[in-house]
Amino acid sequence: ATTIRGSSITMVLIGFEPQSEMGIPRTIIAGTSRIHNGEIILDSAFSKRHKIQLGDKLRIRDTDFLVRGICDKTNATIAQFSFITLSDARDLIGVDGIVSFFLVGFNHGTPGQNAAVLGEKFPNVSVFAKPAFINNNIVELNTGLLPVVRTISIFGTIISAVVITLMMYGSVVE
């Protein structure tokens, strides 16, 4: 979490190796994707909502991060992703050697074939090809956010119907 203008804001941080091409946000709209320790890339929706610009500093836990990039298309409806170096992410977690996922690219074979090979070589690791990973995230969205939105829509429809009925009744009575 970070504090912006007195409000505590939850952030979703992704740590990546800056020297690698994997994990770097591809749609930088301002600044750079080549960051160093102590620097951060923010999603454009997050930066707009909180009025944060390039060169601003964010304090996350006890560490100041300089905003060096603004990216687009990293918005996950209820959370926007921010990117820091893997080294900084490990320092923030406080435990070295823990990684929640790796993004792996291949020059040959299909994603399904490559995922199967990795799954065989590393049986204690869950390996997903891109389509399966996307599907898993859609399932999470459908079981988390969308039922709440549907419920709100249903209540809105019922309340609208009641209001319209009462307005029509009032018109008839007059």
Side-chain angles (χ1 to χ4, degrees), residues 62-137:
D62 294 328
T63 306
D64 287 328
F65 288 89
L66 177 66
V67 178
R68 294 276 291 142
I70 307 289
C71 61
D72 202 14
K73 300 181 182 172
T74 54
N75 185 346
T77 308
I78 57 173
Q80 293 78 40
F81 297 108
S82 300
F83 300 85
I84 58 177
T85 65
L86 187 57
S87 174
D88 280 342
R90 286 181 174 149
D91 290 344
L92 286 174
I93 293 172
V95 180
D96 194 24
I98 292 180
V99 177
S100 59
F101 72 90
F102 287 100
L103 183 60
V104 181
F106 291 93
N107 292 329
H108 54 73
T110 66
Q113 292 169 336
N114 293 326
V117 169
L118 284 175
E120 289 173 12
K121 287 189 179 204
F122 303 100
N124 294 330
V125 175
S126 297
V127 180
F128 302 99
K130 185 177 181 179
F133 185 78
I134 291 170
N135 188 51
N136 289 346
N137 283 290

Side-chain angles (χ1 to χ4, degrees), residues 152-164:
I152 291 170
S153 297
I154 290 169
F155 281 128
T157 302
I158 292 169
I159 290 170
S160 297
V162 168
V163 168
I164 290 171

